[in-house]
Amino acid sequence: MQINRLLKKRQLNVQEQNAVTAHRLMKTASFWRDAGVPDALARFGESQGIDWSETVVLDLEIDFPGMPRLYGLILNQAERFIAFEIETDSGHQHVEGVSQWEDVSAQQNYTVSQRGTGKGFAVIALQVRCEVLA
């Protein structure tokens, strides 16, 4: 893969760094769109107004040691970033507790173009969401 070769050869320029971020988000969003999120997350999200047909998963960690069984970040139908930490049973079927379900949109970087960093994370994530849902 060309991105992996670029990573090994030299420091990436801003556009390449943005492309790597977009590629990572696209892979994650596409994977969870195809596989479906764990049942506990799906049901809890729905109870919080999430329309999964219009929502993408930007990050989802499962059973990471020392953390709740499910945690991550989604970009919902209203283009809001929701960070979550959910404790579930071992099969991720039932919610046992929620330590975070928070709109973190205000904490995201919406910069369209900034010298040295290029596009902000939020701008890239919103573009990925549009592409995944197209």
Side-chain angles (χ1 to χ4, degrees):
M1 167 177 278
Q2 186 173 357
I3 290 177
N4 289 334
R5 279 185 270 144
L6 285 172
L7 289 171
K8 292 177 183 175
K9 290 185 178 184
R10 62 178 171 76
Q11 178 68 33
L12 300 179
N13 68 35
V14 171
Q15 292 81 13
E16 291 165 339
Q17 290 172 28
N18 288 170
V20 168
T21 299
H23 177 74
R24 180 180 53 82
L25 291 175
M26 180 64 78
K27 281 183 61 175
T28 300
S30 296
F31 174 83
W32 288 112
R33 191 143 189 85
D34 293 342
V37 298
D39 289 341
L41 176 58
R43 283 193 296 274
F44 185 78
E46 288 168 2
S47 77
Q48 299 300 305
I50 298 299
D51 175 356
W52 289 105
S53 69
E54 297 293 319
T55 296
V56 294
V57 174
L58 302 175
D59 183 30
L60 174 54
E61 298 294 332
I62 299 177
D63 295 332
F64 192 84
M67 295 296 291
R69 289 195 181 267
L70 303 174
Y71 72 94
L73 183 68
I74 61 174
L75 180 54
N76 73 9
Q77 69 274 10
E79 298 187 342
R80 305 302 294 177
F81 292 85
I82 308 295
F84 60 89
E85 294 182 2
I86 301 173
E87 196 59 60
T88 71
D89 64 316
S90 62
H92 312 294
Q93 298 296 312
H94 305 285
V95 172
E96 294 179 354
V98 177
S99 54
Q100 182 184 32
W101 185 269
E102 179 181 2
D103 184 335
V104 294
S105 301
Q107 300 165 17
Q108 305 305 310
N109 182 346
Y110 288 88
T111 304
V112 176
S113 178
Q114 183 174 344
R115 184 175 173 87
T117 60
K119 296 177 184 176
F121 176 82
V123 173
I124 296 169
L126 288 163
Q127 288 174 337
V128 166
R129 180 181 174 272
C130 286
E131 290 176 31
V132 168
L133 297 179

